[in-house]
Amino acid sequence: MVVASNYWRLVRLDATGRRKVEEIVSAKTFFQTEFSVLLSQAEIDDRKIQTHLLHLLRESPKSALAETCLRCFISQKIAQICIQLEAKFGNKHGFTRGDLFSFVLDEVSPKQSKTNYRSLATEILETFDCQKGNFNSWIARLVKHHRELNAFLLQHGVYLVSDWAILNDTTSRQLQRIFTEFYHLTSGEIQQFTLLLETYHAIYRQDRLRLRKSGKNAGQCLPPSKAQIEEMISYIRVKYGIDLSSEKLMNQVREMANKLREYRIYIRGGMAKTQSLYTVENCILESPSQDNSQEEEEVEFLTAYRTAFLNCLDKSLESAISDRLNRSSRPKNHSSQQFIFGIHLFHCEQLSMSEIAGLIGLEYQYQVSRLLKLKEFRADVRQRMLKCLHNCVLQQATAYTDPDLLPQLEQKIEVALDEQITQLINQAEAESSNPNRREQSLFAARLCHYLKQVLQR
């Protein structure tokens, strides 16, 4: 059902970062006039309205008003997706809709000029092809594939890909390597999961490939149907002589997918349950008993730690950049602007040093390298972050252990934190040296989030 006001009420963030809904009077008047006949009908849907607005956007003198209506709708949809993500994952993984808004709800008021950055709404409008897809689905796709949002969610242990899609694009060789090197499973366990994955591919993935070959859209990877589950059971029985109930089969399939999900979160810079992270917890939460209350304490501490990790990274990036700019005798001189734009182009637009040179008024690649001093910058952020996180963790630790024991634990905590932060910096360094960058490290994602705010000022 159409909610007409979605097309003239713009959802954005105000100067304090709070969600604000702004009614655009010109858009409201235009919309109610343009769609007066359509809105009088008993049943209409958004697709008819969106198709007409998109046509006006590209073909009509009314394009500016049509664009405003579409941007309002996009902002409403983005906010709705963030609220849904909070409802599904927020409580368990320690984030709110406000945390998510800051990444993707980046539209500005039409009264303000839009310079120096490209909002998500702009990207959605420029890339949508009405001949190939659904507008609502395209908005959801670009929101859920937003690099900074995904880096944040990964850091909180959320990976926005379904179990079924993960299993679809994991090969048997990859599974064997991951379960051997990352999980250290026995050869028997690895063989069992390998057979299960091969069965899944033989039934589920082949069905999707057949749909694509017939020219049909396979759509999202939904859970296996009852018929597909029965086929998998039969396949395992005939080929491997193993009898499984549907319940046991699906339990094993989900276990396999969960392990692969946790591994993907880890290699993308998220906080999976690795030994190095739990070193911090274990040295604080040591106890001879292993009851439910201790499990709750561990989850509570881990959630607080993840939040502190991100907060300290943000603060360290901001202060390191601020200090870099303040070293000049004139903070607003040309070299300061070159630094801001240069580091933005390198990390956020993923341009090479030679490409950046011409865009910021320099002649040679080495001049850009000398200006940015990325290795020095990362080292500066590392030291600031270690100090910030060390203080936060020690403060949190007072709630979980005897204060008299803290001096003994401080060195252990520092070693564990140093390992975590070193891993973060190493990922950023590896990304910087890779000319064919595809995914953003957490370091780069948070840096770009801050730089976007700077460039909007």
Side-chain angles (χ1 to χ4, degrees):
M1 180 179 177
V2 170
V3 180
S5 61
N6 283 349
Y7 292 91
W8 63 73
R9 301 181 75 207
L10 181 73
V11 186
R12 62 184 184 86
L13 300 183
D14 62 18
T16 66
R18 294 183 178 178
R19 177 177 175 271
K20 177 182 179 180
V21 181
E22 179 181 357
E23 183 172 298
I24 311 299
V25 178
S26 58
K28 180 178 181 179
T29 303
F30 163 75
F31 186 89
Q32 291 177 334
T33 302
E34 190 72 24
F35 296 100
S36 57
V37 176
L38 193 61
L39 291 174
S40 66
Q41 297 177 7
E43 291 187 11
I44 58 173
D45 61 34
D46 282 311
R47 286 175 294 182
K48 292 181 179 178
I49 291 174
Q50 291 159 6
T51 299
H52 185 63
L53 287 173
L54 287 163
H55 173 75
L56 293 178
L57 173 64
R58 286 151 188 168
E59 306 291 341
S60 168
K62 301 175 183 177
S63 61
L65 287 168
E67 180 179 348
T68 300
C69 290
L70 287 167
R71 286 180 180 274
C72 288
F73 179 84
I74 290 169
S75 72
Q76 295 279 351
K77 186 70 175 178
I78 290 173
Q80 181 186 349
I81 293 168
C82 291
I83 292 169
Q84 291 170 347
L85 289 172
E86 178 199 52
K88 189 172 182 179
F89 302 111
N91 187 51
K92 180 179 178 181
H93 294 273
F95 63 83
T96 66
R97 64 187 67 179
D99 296 323
L100 306 184
F101 288 158
S102 65
F103 297 104
V104 291
L105 208 55
D106 58 352
E107 189 62 285
V108 299
S109 168
K111 299 174 185 177
Q112 297 174 290
S113 61
K114 300 185 279 293
T115 59
N116 296 329
Y117 83 104
R118 184 167 173 253
S119 71
L120 179 57
T122 299
E123 182 181 355
I124 290 168
L125 287 173
E126 290 180 353
T127 57
F128 177 66
D129 185 346
C130 56
Q131 302 297 321
K132 295 183 179 179
N134 177 283
F135 193 56
N136 288 10
S137 299
W138 189 246
I139 296 171
R141 177 181 174 83
L142 265 62
V143 171
K144 292 180 180 180
H145 283 77
H146 190 275
R147 287 193 303 181
E148 294 175 30
L149 176 68
N150 271 285
F152 174 85
L153 291 172
L154 281 168
Q155 184 63 24
H156 285 72
V158 178
Y159 180 48
L160 293 180
V161 175
S162 71
D163 288 348
W164 323 113
I166 290 174
L167 293 173
N168 251 11
D169 64 13
T170 300
T171 67
S172 296
R173 181 175 294 181
Q174 288 171 331
L175 180 139
Q176 290 166 3
R177 178 181 56 80
I178 293 166
F179 283 12
T180 300
E181 298 175 3
F182 189 76
Y183 288 104
H184 306 292
L185 300 186
T186 66
S187 59
E189 290 172 323
I190 294 171
Q191 182 182 17
Q192 181 179 346
F193 281 120
T194 302
L195 298 181
L196 196 61
L197 182 65
E198 290 175 355
T199 301
Y200 182 85
H201 285 174
I203 306 302
Y204 185 93
R205 189 165 69 176
Q206 285 302 314
D207 283 350
R208 291 181 61 81
L209 290 174
R210 277 192 287 270
L211 278 175
R212 289 177 183 173
K213 287 179 180 178
S214 65
K216 297 178 181 178
N217 184 358
Q220 295 181 344
C221 289
L222 300 175
S225 65
K226 185 176 180 180
Q228 287 174 325
I229 294 172
E230 291 299 324
E231 283 187 70
M232 284 190 271
I233 292 172
S234 177
Y235 185 94
I236 291 176
R237 181 188 302 118
V238 172
K239 187 166 184 178
Y240 303 115
I242 300 173
D243 283 317
L244 291 175
S245 65
S246 58
E247 182 180 0
K248 189 171 183 178
L249 172 73
M250 291 308 295
N251 285 341
Q252 290 184 4
V253 167
R254 288 193 177 94
E255 181 186 355
M256 176 170 58
N258 286 336
K259 288 183 180 297
L260 293 170
R261 178 183 300 279
E262 186 173 90
Y263 172 76
R264 291 192 182 193
I265 290 172
Y266 173 72
I267 63 170
R268 284 164 171 78
M271 289 297 186
K273 295 183 179 180
T274 62
Q275 185 176 356
S276 57
L277 174 59
Y278 275 85
T279 303
V280 179
E281 292 179 50
N282 291 338
C283 70
I284 295 171
L285 302 172
E286 288 177 341
S287 170
S289 63
Q290 294 289 333
D291 55 18
N292 290 335
S293 63
Q294 186 180 358
E295 281 188 21
E296 291 175 3
E297 284 185 344
E298 291 181 358
V299 171
E300 184 179 328
F301 179 83
L302 180 56
T303 300
Y305 173 78
R306 285 170 170 161
T307 301
F309 192 93
L310 275 182
N311 289 340
C312 285
L313 175 56
D314 288 344
K315 290 177 182 177
S316 300
L317 287 166
E318 182 177 354
S319 62
I321 289 174
S322 178
D323 282 1
R324 177 73 72 94
L325 298 180
N326 289 335
R327 288 175 194 169
S328 303
S329 57
R330 293 178 296 169
K332 294 184 180 180
N333 67 9
H334 188 51
S335 64
S336 297
Q337 293 301 314
Q338 284 178 321
F339 172 73
I340 288 293
F341 283 112
I343 201 168
H344 171 79
L345 291 170
F346 182 79
H347 280 292
C348 312
E349 302 297 332
Q350 298 187 334
L351 299 184
S352 66
M353 295 292 187
S354 57
E355 290 172 319
I356 293 170
L359 295 173
I360 62 173
L362 298 176
E363 292 185 40
Y364 304 109
Q365 176 179 332
Y366 76 86
Q367 292 176 306
V368 180
S369 300
R370 187 180 296 171
L371 170 71
L372 300 184
K373 297 179 181 176
L374 293 178
K375 187 173 182 179
E376 178 184 308
F377 177 69
R378 288 191 297 267
D380 188 17
V381 173
R382 184 186 185 284
Q383 290 304 316
R384 293 169 190 268
M385 192 176 174
L386 183 59
K387 182 178 179 180
C388 173
L389 197 55
H390 181 269
N391 293 337
C392 288
V393 171
L394 279 180
Q395 185 177 359
Q396 292 169 18
T398 59
Y400 299 95
T401 193
D402 186 341
D404 294 335
L405 298 177
L406 286 181
Q408 303 171 32
L409 297 174
E410 187 169 357
Q411 186 175 3
K412 293 182 180 179
I413 291 172
E414 187 166 349
V415 170
L417 294 180
D418 183 76
E419 183 179 341
Q420 285 289 306
I421 296 170
T422 297
Q423 179 184 334
L424 173 83
I425 299 300
N426 287 345
Q427 288 171 345
E429 185 174 1
E431 177 189 45
S432 295
S433 61
N434 183 1
N436 299 312
R437 289 171 281 169
R438 290 291 181 269
E439 296 183 0
Q440 257 189 337
S441 64
L442 177 64
F443 181 95
R446 298 308 299 174
L447 174 61
C448 292
H449 177 63
Y450 173 68
L451 290 174
K452 183 165 65 174
Q453 294 175 330
V454 172
L455 292 171
Q456 286 177 347
R457 292 172 187 168

